[in-house]
Amino acid sequence: MTEKDLWKWILDNFSDNGVASIGRKLGLKIPGFRQINPQQKNFKVLRPKLINEALSPKNLGDLKGFFNSVAQGDEKFLEHRGKNKEELQTLMEEEITPSILLSVLLSSDDENDINKALELAEQLIEEGRLDQMEKYAEDNFGDEDGSEEEVEDESSVKDVDLKQLQQKIAALEKKLVKSEQKNEELKAKLIDVQNALNSEKKLWKDEKKGLTQEIHTLKSQQGGLKSSADAAYAERDSMEKKMEQQKDIMKKKDEEISRLNAIILNYKTQKKNSPEEESVVGETVNAGQDQPSIQEEIRINVAVIGDPKNSRVQRYNKFNLNIIESSDIEDEKQKDILEAADQIWLLTYKIPRSVQKRLRGVLKDRDTQEFATFIDLEKHMQKG
């Protein structure tokens, strides 16, 4: 058992009045509690906090000093110091409450008294007798020879000291004067704040008016922009329809060219035909079409890395475009397309910057062209 453990047992066995008196004497302050009053209901919550605070390292020395001053004020207490353990145990059993006697020994300046108190208390606790002896002493001779009531009386007079009350009254009066002064200052500040608030309200109203006018102007501009956008969308739809019509015309022409080429190939493979017949066939073919040339124009094979996603690229028959996504560049099929391509075009506006650098390294030995916008791409295709 430690000295702190024994002090806790002693204080736990003191009455509420005794613990409250010790707390006031030591000047203990517990957050959330304005005063130490054992008559209040919340003292049950305050009591363990007072005991823990009294046993803290910063207050334990004062606690021992307080009990030593109580012992010094009574010769009967001092006579118990210096006795052996057997004599002390007899006193606990027949004359004095164990908690009082142990407090007298623990507060002694003599280490022998402190060690005897610790050894005797530990022995009685192991035997299961210390709490029994405390209860028996309280029932039979609790207040004899200087009990905890004397501890309470030691500080009760100072708690109601008239001089302290007068000092408190004077301090409160000073505080009241300061409060009145502060109240006047706050009134003056309130007037200033009110004036500032009125000025802010006026500024806010003017700003609100300006913002309202600006909103009306922007709404009018928005209406004009919407009309322009609608016209642009209509024009785009018209152009797309024309493009579809052109595609249909080109498709029909391509089909006609393919049909005529098939006829020519069929006649050339017929070995029995005479030169005169071949001449007739040529005349028949030329008479059956309005095309400027039977042979299909030779087209440039181009590998385009990055999908332009614009149907206008189909207008330019000179180029056979093979679209490759930058993410599929390592695919074996796409590699074959790259190998077979006459030209390689990089649509940098469709390829992430991190991928562009890698592609330039892979294609450094190939004929490549880069296009930063679709307009650049279309201009190049127009030039052919």
Side-chain angles (χ1 to χ4, degrees):
M1 170 178 283
T2 65
E3 189 174 340
K4 182 178 178 180
D5 293 335
L6 185 52
W7 274 118
K8 187 175 187 311
W9 181 87
I10 291 170
L11 295 180
D12 285 341
N13 282 281
F14 269 42
S15 66
D16 288 347
N17 287 331
V19 172
S21 179
I22 292 169
R24 290 193 294 266
K25 180 64 179 177
L26 297 181
L28 301 181
K29 302 294 182 182
I30 305 300
F33 297 88
R34 294 184 178 180
Q35 58 180 346
I36 300 174
N37 186 352
Q39 306 304 321
Q40 292 184 345
K41 293 182 179 180
N42 65 354
F43 189 77
K44 290 183 179 180
V45 179
L46 176 59
R47 177 187 169 100
K49 295 180 182 292
L50 282 173
I51 293 174
N52 289 335
E53 184 65 17
L55 296 175
S56 66
K58 65 178 180 179
N59 294 318
L60 188 57
D62 294 337
L63 179 67
K64 293 174 66 175
F66 169 68
F67 276 96
N68 188 39
S69 66
V70 174
Q72 293 287 347
D74 193 326
E75 289 294 333
K76 292 181 180 180
F77 284 155
L78 294 178
E79 290 175 359
H80 300 324
R81 291 176 175 174
K83 291 183 178 181
N84 59 41
K85 288 196 295 184
E86 289 74 14
E87 292 173 324
L88 293 172
Q89 183 171 338
T90 301
L91 286 171
M92 291 182 188
E93 293 172 346
E94 299 178 358
E95 297 183 25
I96 185 170
T97 306
S99 58
I100 297 297
L101 180 57
L102 291 171
S103 69
V104 171
L105 297 173
L106 277 181
S107 61
S108 173
D109 294 331
D110 190 342
E111 287 292 331
N112 290 328
D113 288 329
I114 297 174
N115 292 333
K116 288 175 187 176
L118 293 171
E119 292 171 3
L120 183 58
E122 188 169 4
Q123 174 188 331
L124 293 173
I125 289 174
E126 289 179 356
E127 295 173 359
R129 298 176 56 203
L130 185 58
D131 290 332
Q132 294 177 358
M133 292 170 67
E134 179 74 12
K135 188 176 185 308
Y136 177 80
E138 289 176 356
D139 294 341
N140 292 276
F141 44 87
D143 291 335
E144 295 181 9
D145 297 325
S147 66
E148 96 182 54
E149 187 175 327
E150 294 186 22
V151 175
E152 298 169 23
D153 293 340
E154 177 78 13
S155 60
S156 60
V157 175
K158 290 186 179 180
D159 287 336
V160 293
D161 188 88
L162 179 60
K163 185 177 180 181
Q164 291 182 351
L165 291 176
Q166 290 174 341
Q167 291 174 347
K168 287 183 179 179
I169 291 171
L172 289 173
E173 288 176 346
K174 289 182 180 179
K175 190 174 182 180
L176 179 61
V177 172
K178 289 183 179 180
S179 296
E180 290 176 348
Q181 292 175 348
K182 190 172 183 179
N183 188 39
E184 292 299 323
E185 292 174 358
L186 289 174
K187 285 182 180 179
K189 287 183 179 180
L190 181 60
I191 293 173
D192 293 338
V193 170
Q194 188 65 43
N195 292 334
L197 181 60
N198 291 335
S199 299
E200 288 291 332
K201 283 183 178 179
K202 186 177 182 305
L203 290 173
W204 179 81
K205 286 182 180 179
D206 294 341
E207 186 177 356
K208 180 182 178 182
K209 183 178 179 181
L211 289 173
T212 302
Q213 292 175 349
E214 187 176 351
I215 289 172
H216 287 315
T217 302
L218 290 173
K219 284 184 176 179
S220 299
Q221 293 176 354
Q222 182 184 20
L225 289 173
K226 187 176 184 301
S227 299
S228 299
D230 291 341
Y233 287 138
E235 184 178 358
R236 183 197 65 183
D237 293 340
S238 176
M239 292 296 294
E240 288 181 350
K241 288 180 180 178
K242 289 180 180 180
M243 285 176 60
E244 293 298 328
Q245 292 173 357
Q246 290 294 325
K247 285 182 185 179
D248 291 339
I249 293 171
M250 291 177 65
K251 183 178 179 181
K252 289 178 181 178
K253 289 182 178 180
D254 288 340
E255 291 174 352
E256 182 64 17
I257 290 171
S258 298
R259 184 182 68 81
L260 293 174
N261 285 334
I263 293 173
I264 291 171
L265 182 62
N266 183 46
Y267 276 95
K268 282 183 177 181
T269 55
Q270 293 179 1
K271 294 181 179 181
K272 294 182 179 181
N273 288 348
S274 64
E276 292 80 4
E277 290 175 332
E278 290 180 1
S279 176
V280 172
V281 170
E283 292 175 0
T284 304
V285 171
N286 288 330
Q289 63 174 346
D290 296 329
Q291 301 298 327
S293 175
I294 295 176
Q295 295 295 330
E296 186 176 356
E297 185 180 0
I298 298 175
R299 304 172 74 182
I300 299 173
N301 193 24
V302 182
V304 182
I305 302 178
D307 190 349
K309 294 184 178 179
N310 194 313
S311 58
R312 293 212 298 267
V313 297
Q314 299 176 7
R315 296 178 180 179
Y316 308 101
N317 293 325
K318 183 176 180 179
F319 303 100
N320 179 29
L321 303 183
N322 296 286
I323 309 300
I324 302 174
E325 291 288 355
S326 58
S327 57
D328 298 332
I329 197 69
E330 298 298 332
D331 185 81
E332 290 297 328
K333 183 177 180 181
Q334 308 304 335
K335 287 182 179 179
D336 293 340
I337 293 175
L338 286 172
E339 290 293 331
D342 300 320
Q343 296 181 15
I344 298 176
W345 295 352
L346 297 181
L347 306 187
T348 56
Y349 67 96
K350 288 291 185 177
I351 304 173
R353 290 182 179 275
S354 58
V355 179
Q356 291 179 27
K357 184 176 181 181
R358 181 169 60 85
L359 288 175
R360 291 187 184 105
V362 173
L363 303 172
K364 62 182 179 179
D365 297 328
R366 298 296 304 274
D367 177 16
T368 60
Q369 297 185 59
E370 297 186 7
F371 302 95
T373 65
F374 178 77
I375 294 174
D376 295 338
L377 174 64
E378 191 171 26
K379 285 181 179 180
H380 179 76
M381 296 181 75
Q382 289 171 352
K383 291 178 181 179

